[in-house]
Amino acid sequence: MKRKIFGLRIPMVLICIVFLVLGTRLVWASNEVTRGTEAVQLFTQETGTNASLISFDRKQLVDNIYKYTWILKVGFGEFDKIGVYRVIKERAPWVPIVAPKAVMMIHGDATNFDNSFLGSTVSNKVSVDQSLGIFLAQNNVDVWGVDLRWTFVPDYYPGTAYPYCYIDGCTFMKNWNTALHVSDIMVGVKIARTVRGLTGSGFGKLLMLGHSRGGQFSLAYANRETQIPVFFRDLKGIIIVDMVYKFSPENQELRDAAYERYLAVKAKYDSGIYYSDEGTVMKYIAYLAATSPDDPSPIIPGFTNKQAALFVLSATYATFEPPLKPYVPFYHYLAGIFDQVGIPQGLQFTNPDYTLDIGLATPGFQSIGEDIDGEALMSDEVEVPYDDYLSEINIPVFYVGAAGGFGEYGIYTVTLLGSTDKKTLIVQLYPPEAVALDYGHSDLLWADNAKSLVWQPIYDWIKTH
C-alpha cells in the first residue's frame, strides 16, 4: 500500500523572514537582528511550530569566498537543532554575488557538511580550496548545506571522559529517521530559496546533491515531492553521489545481505539502542594513528595504529562483522596501497594525513533510524514510504559513482525514475578484476585528483541544469 509522508513542517518556510537582514552590510545592525529574532518568535507563537534562530556567523574561507552559518532550534529537545550553511562569493563585504545556479548539499553517515564538502577547511594538509563546496563557489555556484540533528550531539558526556551516548543512552534519537531528516532538510531548502531571493539570486527551485546517505535523503525528498503540487516543489534536479537506493533483482544476493543488515540494526533498535557509535570508533582510530602511528594497534592485532587506520579506510569491506556482509563486493572508502601480503602502506589518491584530520573532526554519534530505512530500501523486503513514487520523479538526475564504492550498483535506481534527463558517471581507473584497488567512496570528495575526475563533471552538469 502506498503511503504519503506527512508531518513535514511546511510552515517553517516562513521563518525565512529572519533572513531579510542578509541583503547588505547595514541590515545586520544589532537592532535588525533583534527584530528578526522577534519576528521568528511571533511566527512560532502563531503557528505552534517550535523554531528559533540560535546563532548566525560569517567566515572567510579563501579569497572572496565566504561561509554563512545559521544554527536553528527545530524542536523541544536539547539537540533538536540543525545547521544551515551558505558558501558563496561576495562582490563586496556582506554582499553575495548574484548566482543563478544553486545546489543544496546533503552529507552522509558519520560526517557533516564541513567534513564532506569543505574538508580542506578542517585540515592544513591540503590546499585550503581543495573542497567540492569551495570549487563550486569559485565557479559562481551558490552552495548550500545542512547539518542534521545528530551532528550536534557532543562527543563526551559533560564533566567526564566517557562518550556521550554511552552514558546518556541518547534515547532522544528514537524517532530520528529518514522522514524527520527529510523534514529538517526541507527547512534548510526553504531558507535557501528565500535568502537567495532576498539577496538577488531569485526564489527559484534548487538542485540537490547528496553523498552516500545524503543520496538516500535526496531521493526520499524527491519521492515526497511527487505528491504535492508542482508550485510547492523545491527541487529542479538531483545529483546522487555513490549511493544505492534499490538493488536490481539481478543482484538478489546483495538484497539478501541488505535484509540481514536490516534485521541486525532493527534488533539493536528494538533492544533500546537508537544510536550508532561509528563516528566515535573512527575518531579513536584516527587519534591513535595521528598520535602514535607506529605503536601496536589495539584494534587490529599485528598492525600498527597507522596500518589499522589505513586498513579501515582502504579495505572497509573486511570490517563488516560476520555474518553481515558489505554493501557491495570490495566496498571501501579510499583506494589503498598494499604490500605483497595485503598490509596497507598508504592511499593512492587521497592524502592520508588529510583523512586523519577529517576523522578527528567527525561527529561521534548518529541515529540509526535512517540506517534501518536504508537497509529496508536496498533489501526490498520491508515496506517503507520512501520508494512509492520513484517512477513519478521526472526532474533531471545525475548519478556519480566510484568503482570501489557503490559504483555501478547505483545505476539501477536511476532506471526506476521517470525522468527523461538521466546521466551517469562511474569513476573507474582499473579493470573490473582490480575493483579492490579502484577509486573509493570518499575519494570522490577528498582525492587529490577529484577536481578533474569528479567535481568538474558535476559542475558541468550544474551549468546545464
Side-chain angles (χ1 to χ4, degrees):
M1 179 182 296
K2 292 186 177 182
R3 293 176 288 167
K4 297 181 181 179
I5 305 172
F6 294 102
L8 300 180
R9 296 186 299 279
I10 294 176
M12 280 290 293
V13 64
L14 299 179
I15 75 167
C16 298
I17 295 172
V18 178
F19 307 112
L20 182 61
V21 295
L22 280 180
T24 67
R25 286 163 280 185
L26 296 178
V27 296
W28 276 106
S30 61
N31 62 325
E32 293 294 341
V33 174
T34 300
R35 292 172 187 168
T37 302
E38 290 174 347
V40 174
Q41 293 172 345
L42 178 61
F43 158 70
T44 58
Q45 291 171 3
E46 292 177 346
T47 62
T49 303
N50 185 41
S52 60
L53 176 65
I54 297 175
S55 65
F56 169 80
D57 182 59
R58 168 182 173 269
K59 177 183 179 181
Q60 183 181 24
L61 298 182
V62 58
D63 300 328
N64 61 339
I65 306 293
Y66 284 78
K67 177 187 177 186
Y68 295 79
T69 299
W70 298 267
I71 306 300
L72 297 174
K73 187 78 170 169
V74 291
F76 296 101
E78 181 180 3
F79 304 114
D80 289 335
K81 52 188 177 182
I82 62 172
V84 180
Y85 308 98
R86 186 186 199 185
V87 178
I88 191 170
K89 279 184 183 178
E90 288 187 351
R91 50 192 172 93
W94 293 93
V95 184
I97 64 168
V98 174
K101 303 297 183 181
V103 59
M104 173 63 73
M105 306 174 82
I106 313 300
H107 65 80
D109 291 346
T111 185
N112 55 28
F113 175 71
D114 281 359
N115 282 10
S116 291
F117 307 117
L118 298 178
S120 60
T121 67
V122 301
S123 173
N124 61 3
K125 306 303 191 301
V126 296
S127 172
V128 70
D129 62 351
Q130 190 178 316
S131 295
L132 174 58
I134 294 177
F135 170 78
L136 293 178
Q138 288 174 327
N139 285 280
N140 301 321
V141 177
D142 191 359
V143 175
W144 289 82
V146 171
D147 271 351
L148 302 176
R149 300 186 189 204
W150 47 263
T151 65
F152 293 93
V153 176
D155 289 334
Y156 298 102
Y157 196 78
T160 76
Y162 294 99
Y164 190 91
C165 286
Y166 296 174
I167 300 296
D168 178 85
C170 290
T171 56
F172 53 83
M173 291 186 181
K174 182 176 183 179
N175 297 317
W176 290 11
N177 58 13
T178 299
L180 179 75
H181 296 320
V182 168
S183 175
D184 288 342
I185 292 168
M186 187 191 70
V187 174
V189 169
K190 300 299 186 184
I191 289 173
R193 293 186 64 184
T194 303
V195 171
R196 278 177 48 75
L198 297 173
T199 54
S201 293
F203 293 93
K205 298 176 182 179
L206 306 178
L207 298 172
M208 182 174 286
L209 180 151
H211 175 250
S212 193
R213 184 76 63 194
Q216 174 184 318
F217 295 144
S218 299
L219 282 163
Y221 200 113
N223 180 77
R224 181 197 69 86
E225 283 206 320
T226 64
Q227 301 308 295
I228 63 177
V230 174
F231 179 80
F232 294 107
R233 298 178 190 177
D234 296 312
L235 304 185
K236 64 177 181 179
I238 50 176
I239 305 169
I240 309 303
V241 183
D242 209 51
M243 186 61 185
V244 166
Y245 205 67
K246 309 288 289 185
F247 277 115
S248 167
E250 297 178 359
N251 300 124
Q252 187 60 47
E253 72 283 1
L254 298 181
R255 288 186 170 193
D256 293 342
Y259 185 61
E260 291 300 318
R261 293 192 303 271
Y262 165 83
L263 292 175
V265 182
K266 185 65 165 55
K268 179 179 178 181
Y269 180 92
D270 291 341
S271 73
I273 300 175
Y274 309 118
Y275 65 86
S276 164
D277 63 354
E278 179 184 349
T280 296
V281 174
M282 290 175 63
K283 185 171 290 189
Y284 178 56
I285 293 172
Y287 172 78
L288 292 176
T291 58
S292 307
D294 298 321
D295 287 357
S297 168
I299 307 296
I300 305 178
F303 279 33
T304 66
N305 286 326
K306 181 178 180 180
Q307 289 171 339
L310 290 171
F311 185 82
V312 170
L313 293 172
S314 60
T316 318
Y317 54 88
T319 64
F320 286 74
E321 296 183 8
L324 302 183
K325 298 178 181 178
Y327 307 113
V328 299
F330 300 106
Y331 172 89
H332 53 271
Y333 293 130
L334 301 166
I337 300 171
F338 301 87
D339 65 15
Q340 293 181 345
V341 295
I343 297 177
Q345 303 297 307
L347 299 175
Q348 294 184 58
F349 310 114
T350 301
N351 184 319
D353 293 330
Y354 177 33
T355 65
L356 293 182
D357 286 347
I358 290 175
L360 290 170
T362 198
F365 297 96
Q366 178 177 346
S367 50
I368 64 172
E370 58 267 31
D371 193 8
I372 294 172
D373 293 335
E375 301 294 3
L377 283 163
M378 286 191 283
S379 73
D380 213 31
E381 287 285 336
V382 184
E383 183 180 345
V384 286
Y386 311 115
D387 59 353
D388 292 332
Y389 309 105
L390 295 182
S391 64
E392 297 179 33
I393 297 175
N394 57 17
I395 55 178
V397 58
F398 183 22
Y399 173 74
V400 181
F406 286 104
E408 64 181 10
Y409 294 99
I411 295 177
Y412 174 71
T413 299
V414 178
T415 68
L416 300 178
L417 307 183
S419 172
T420 57
D421 185 344
K422 303 175 183 180
K423 181 178 180 179
T424 61
L425 168 67
I426 306 299
V427 181
Q428 179 178 350
L429 304 182
Y430 293 102
E433 58 270 21
V435 65
L437 300 175
D438 218 325
Y439 220 71
H441 181 66
S442 295
D443 280 321
L444 296 166
L445 298 180
W446 302 334
D448 294 339
N449 56 2
K451 181 180 293 187
S452 60
L453 295 180
V454 186
W455 307 348
Q456 185 66 46
I458 288 175
Y459 169 63
D460 292 341
W461 190 86
I462 290 173
K463 279 195 305 183
T464 60
H465 292 83

